[in-house]
Amino acid sequence: MLDDRKLAILRAIVTDYVSSQEPVGSRALVDRHNLGVSPATVRNDMAVLEDEGYITQPHTSAGRIPTDKGYRLFVDRLAAVKPLSVAERRAIQTFMAGALDVDDVVRRTVRLLAQITQQVAIVQYPVLSSATVRLIELLVLTPGRGLVILVNSTGRVDQRPVDLLGATDEQVADLRGRLNAAVVGLTPSAAVERLSTLLDDLPPELHPVASMVTATVMELTTADPATRVVVGGVPNLTRFGDQFETTVKPVLEALEEQVVLLRLLGEAGGTGDVTVRIGHENPYEPLQSTSVVASAYGHADDLWASMGIVGPTRMDYPSTMASVRAVARYVGRFLAEG
Amino acid sequence: MLDDRKLAILRAIVTDYVSSQEPVGSRALVDRHNLGVSPATVRNDMAVLEDEGYITQPHTSAGRIPTDKGYRLFVDRLAAVKPLSVAERRAIQTFMAGALDVDDVVRRTVRLLAQITQQVAIVQYPVLSSATVRLIELLVLTPGRGLVILVNSTGRVDQRPVDLLGATDEQVADLRGRLNAAVVGLTPSAAVERLSTLLDDLPPELHPVASMVTATVMELTTADPATRVVVGGVPNLTRFGDQFETTVKPVLEALEEQVVLLRLLGEAGGTGDVTVRIGHENPYEPLQSTSVVASAYGHADDLWASMGIVGPTRMDYPSTMASVRAVARYVGRFLAEG
DNA sequence: GACTGGCACTCGATCACCGAGAGTGCCAAT
DNA sequence: ATTGGCACTCTCGGTGATCGAGTGCCAGTC
């Protein structure tokens, strides 16, 4: 159905449209790319491509622009891998050098991604499934109100307030000792398992407060860390100040909702390589005129979390994908080395 | 110079322009407000107001719009205090009810402010100067790399990685004990003072690692907490999609820079009541076509931090000021009660 | 002396119109 | 299968013409 020349024409339309932001006609196409055929032939091919749904024209006497389906074919089969520029490589190094802790790494990563892709960047906090519990601290703040602090072997610290149900200081100290003895050194999943059996070994008077505390610890070891997402590069949205309603507004709204962001990244970053969601492929309705380029990051088989960018469907996919891939790999390695 | 009628006219111009977003003429003015004089008289007065710099016209044969100076006079002398609506009062209660910890309070506050003002909201993390140090934890993560965790009496937890310079586990444990003995129960300022003399009491072999750690603790007790700011309601920027260059873009850029946000809030929130910076009064150049309404919040004399909103100069100042004031007071009380 | 009605004037906004230009689809010829 | 030619369509930019809101000024009135 689609011979090589038609594919070449589609590729040319995508690249030209992305760089010029304007519908591209048959004449301009043969001028800029040496296709070796006349505009009339190109027109015939374009008619076929339009029938097949790869391109469309905004109005009768305008050039063609790619459809979501066209971008999809381009990304899957036509895009040449574009190597990073030297400047971009250097940017990655300088941005990350001197990062202090995980927070800092995430902040720098989001800035970096936003800068080299010139899009809005989204980075999920790393969830280190191989990290182990380093310390559980249990504190009394005021009578009845306490605080659980969980530290894992990567230096990540999470805390949550807890109702101590009037336990005495001695009981709290006792419980702290038992908790640490039970789970320090375990992975989160192992710790959760161990905690669910811990209650049986406790003296009865500790049961009420212990169940409150273990429940909180279990929350901390599982759900919470994954729900943190950082965004950056929002001013990049101003670069396409047209399409206010279709692009800028929905993106801004999505950025306020952690849940939405996690869905965008989560479904996109499941596999090992860069994932692209184009327009309507997007799981979140209002973002159907934008694309998401995302990648999981981590080390070896240990995929920790996702990062990505969101931008207009008319973006430079090869460059963007290369950038996201490079940053994801670099940050993964950086975190693995500590 | 400005008699009562001229002031009434200025007030009418401001309110009409804010609600209609369009230059207001002499005819419309006498129609909507019963000024008891003819349009011609109003025109004469408007000419005077324009000479004095309170209003201006975008072009000949258009109505008048307030200048920054006009808004300033309005805010200072003409604005009637507008009580909150019942719905707003209820919103404040429901939004804050059930807040878990300080993080949660801040997140809810920023949402609340954004929703009832329909502007972009900025909330600084509270700095509780009366809070005392509750616990200092010192952990070894890997040989040489450690972590300092500081918990204060409000349940706030801060951490920072620290270089342990190859100290042994025993030395670390020793140091942890000494640190806690020294500063637990002290206010941050007292703790800093105490720490600076702590070194003298230590055995010499602890000196190198102790100075690293105390320096880190001192950073944690002073600088860091104040530098955290949360923003929300960014989609509200889309409500004035015109003025892309003058308003939306600069605001988005400012929101990415914590330093800028702190400057906006910091200089604005120094006093006890709501502060308004209109247009050029703003300390940050690119935001000179927007206004900032901010307030410190806290309890009694203990001012903890600031919150505020940023929006176009043409905003409903009475409502916005009332909302910011109400939220600031409520959150202050809420935090004081714990 | 302050206010008012009247009037000429200004200027942006809206609309219709027109020509230019880009681009297409189709068809007959190669 | 490809191509040159041609008629057709539709957007875009520019040009007047008109409309109406609003002003400034001035002479008249209370």
Side-chain angles (χ1 to χ4, degrees):
Chain A
M1 208 62 131
L2 295 183
D3 54 27
D4 283 355
R5 194 184 58 213
K6 292 194 183 61
L7 292 178
I9 289 174
L10 178 57
R11 180 195 291 122
I13 290 175
V14 171
T15 54
D16 277 20
Y17 179 63
V18 164
S19 72
S20 75
Q21 313 277 54
E22 271 167 12
V24 22
S26 55
R27 183 58 168 280
L29 224 42
V30 295
D31 282 357
R32 269 201 286 272
H33 308 74
N34 38 0
L35 296 171
V37 289
S38 76
T41 310
V42 173
R43 281 203 289 278
N44 290 331
D45 286 354
M46 292 205 297
V48 175
L49 285 170
E50 183 162 13
D51 281 348
E52 302 286 331
Y54 294 106
I55 56 179
T56 186
Q57 39 186 345
H59 55 83
T60 321
S61 79
R64 305 304 216 287
I65 64 176
T67 61
D68 289 354
K69 189 178 173 188
Y71 283 123
R72 167 53 57 198
L73 184 61
F74 174 82
V75 167
D76 287 346
R77 298 182 43 199
L78 304 177
V81 179
K82 191 181 280 186
L84 287 199
S85 73
V86 184
E88 285 165 333
R89 299 210 162 277
R90 193 162 26 206
I92 294 179
Q93 312 257 339
T94 43
F95 251 83
M96 300 310 294
L100 294 173
D101 53 6
V102 176
D103 272 5
D104 201 27
V105 169
V106 171
R107 273 197 303 269
R108 285 164 186 254
T109 304
V110 81
R111 281 196 175 228
L112 172 62
L113 254 188
Q115 201 193 70
I116 69 180
T117 63
Q118 289 289 298
Q119 309 280 10
V120 179
I122 310 173
V123 176
Q124 185 184 3
Y125 261 74
V127 183
L128 300 158
S129 57
S130 64
T132 55
V133 175
R134 179 67 185 77
L135 175 77
I136 294 177
E137 184 62 74
L138 189 55
L139 281 177
V140 182
L141 291 178
T142 63
R145 280 180 61 234
L147 193 66
V148 175
I149 301 175
L150 184 80
V151 185
N152 76 19
S153 58
T154 64
R156 182 186 169 87
V157 179
D158 291 300
Q159 86 267 18
R160 184 163 294 196
V162 66
D163 186 349
L164 292 179
L165 301 168
T168 64
D169 284 3
E170 291 75 34
Q171 288 175 323
V172 169
D174 185 15
L175 185 57
R176 170 172 44 217
R178 290 171 187 268
L179 282 173
N180 279 290
V183 302
V184 163
L186 300 183
T187 63
S189 52
V192 168
E193 209 168 311
R194 180 75 188 80
L195 280 178
S196 57
T197 64
L198 182 67
L199 273 183
D200 305 336
D201 306 336
L202 293 178
E205 70 271 20
L206 278 182
H207 274 197
V209 61
S211 63
M212 289 293 291
V213 172
T214 52
T216 307
V217 172
M218 284 170 73
E219 279 177 44
L220 281 178
T221 49
T222 53
D224 184 67
T227 64
R228 290 170 66 190
V229 175
V230 177
V231 304
V234 188
N236 289 332
L237 281 176
T238 56
R239 285 189 310 119
F240 31 101
D242 48 341
Q243 327 164 302
F244 209 88
E245 285 301 314
T246 59
T247 306
V248 179
K249 193 174 177 182
V251 171
L252 283 179
E253 272 159 10
L255 292 181
E256 294 248 316
E257 297 294 339
Q258 299 258 325
V259 195
V260 170
L261 295 180
L262 283 171
R263 258 181 83 201
L264 290 178
L265 286 184
E267 303 199 17
T271 72
D273 198 9
V274 172
T275 314
V276 182
R277 304 249 160 192
I278 298 162
H280 67 273
E281 299 170 4
N282 215 295
Y284 175 64
E285 272 273 357
L287 288 192
Q288 301 224 329
S289 63
T290 62
S291 290
V292 175
V293 177
S295 170
Y297 68 99
H299 185 251
D301 305 332
D302 198 7
L303 292 178
W304 301 332
S306 298
M307 66 175 68
I309 63 95
V310 42
T313 49
R314 64 148 100 104
M315 71 168 74
D316 180 353
Y317 290 97
S319 295
T320 308
M321 290 167 68
S323 299
V324 172
R325 179 184 293 118
V327 173
R329 286 199 185 157
Y330 188 87
V331 173
R333 233 181 303 135
F334 191 88
L335 283 173
E337 290 167 8
Chain B
M1 208 61 132
L2 295 183
D3 55 27
D4 283 355
R5 195 184 57 213
K6 292 195 184 60
L7 292 179
I9 289 174
L10 177 57
R11 179 193 292 120
I13 290 174
V14 171
T15 55
D16 278 18
Y17 179 63
V18 164
S19 71
S20 75
Q21 315 276 55
E22 271 167 13
V24 21
S26 55
R27 182 59 168 278
L29 224 44
V30 296
D31 283 357
R32 270 201 285 273
H33 308 73
N34 39 0
L35 297 171
V37 290
S38 78
T41 309
V42 172
R43 281 203 288 279
N44 289 332
D45 286 354
M46 291 203 296
V48 175
L49 285 170
E50 184 162 14
D51 281 348
E52 303 286 331
Y54 294 107
I55 56 179
T56 185
Q57 38 187 345
H59 54 84
T60 330
S61 103
R64 305 305 218 287
I65 64 177
T67 61
D68 289 355
K69 187 178 174 188
Y71 284 122
R72 167 54 57 198
L73 183 60
F74 175 81
V75 167
D76 287 345
R77 298 184 43 199
L78 304 177
V81 179
K82 191 181 280 186
L84 287 199
S85 73
V86 184
E88 285 166 333
R89 298 210 162 277
R90 193 160 28 205
I92 294 179
Q93 311 259 339
T94 45
F95 249 83
M96 299 309 294
L100 294 172
D101 53 6
V102 175
D103 273 4
D104 201 29
V105 169
V106 171
R107 274 196 303 268
R108 285 164 185 254
T109 304
V110 81
R111 282 196 173 227
L112 172 62
L113 252 188
Q115 200 193 70
I116 68 179
T117 63
Q118 290 288 300
Q119 309 279 10
V120 179
I122 311 171
V123 176
Q124 185 183 2
Y125 262 74
V127 182
L128 300 156
S129 57
S130 63
T132 56
V133 176
R134 179 69 185 73
L135 175 78
I136 294 176
E137 185 61 75
L138 187 57
L139 280 177
V140 182
L141 290 178
T142 63
R145 281 181 59 232
L147 193 66
V148 176
I149 301 174
L150 184 80
V151 185
N152 76 20
S153 57
T154 64
R156 181 188 170 87
V157 179
D158 290 301
Q159 86 267 19
R160 184 162 295 195
V162 66
D163 186 349
L164 292 178
L165 302 169
T168 65
D169 284 3
E170 291 74 34
Q171 289 175 322
V172 168
D174 184 16
L175 185 55
R176 170 173 42 218
R178 289 170 187 268
L179 281 174
N180 278 290
V183 302
V184 163
L186 299 182
T187 63
S189 52
V192 168
E193 209 167 311
R194 180 75 186 78
L195 281 177
S196 57
T197 65
L198 182 67
L199 273 183
D200 303 336
D201 304 337
L202 293 179
E205 69 271 20
L206 279 181
H207 274 196
V209 60
S211 63
M212 289 292 292
V213 173
T214 52
T216 307
V217 172
M218 284 171 74
E219 280 177 43
L220 281 177
T221 49
T222 52
D224 184 67
T227 65
R228 289 170 66 188
V229 176
V230 177
V231 303
V234 187
N236 289 333
L237 281 177
T238 55
R239 286 188 310 117
F240 32 100
D242 46 342
Q243 327 164 301
F244 209 87
E245 285 302 313
T246 59
T247 307
V248 179
K249 193 173 178 183
V251 171
L252 283 179
E253 271 158 9
L255 292 181
E256 295 248 316
E257 296 295 339
Q258 299 258 325
V259 195
V260 170
L261 294 180
L262 283 171
R263 256 182 84 202
L264 290 178
L265 285 184
E267 303 199 16
T271 71
D273 199 9
V274 172
T275 315
V276 182
R277 306 249 160 191
I278 298 163
H280 68 273
E281 299 170 6
N282 215 295
Y284 175 64
E285 270 273 357
L287 287 191
Q288 302 223 328
S289 64
T290 61
S291 290
V292 175
V293 177
S295 170
Y297 69 98
H299 184 250
D301 306 331
D302 197 7
L303 290 179
W304 299 332
S306 298
M307 66 175 67
I309 63 94
V310 42
T313 48
R314 63 148 100 103
M315 71 169 73
D316 179 354
Y317 289 98
S319 295
T320 307
M321 291 167 68
S323 299
V324 172
R325 179 185 292 119
V327 173
R329 286 198 185 157
Y330 189 86
V331 173
R333 234 180 303 134
F334 191 88
L335 282 173
E337 291 167 9

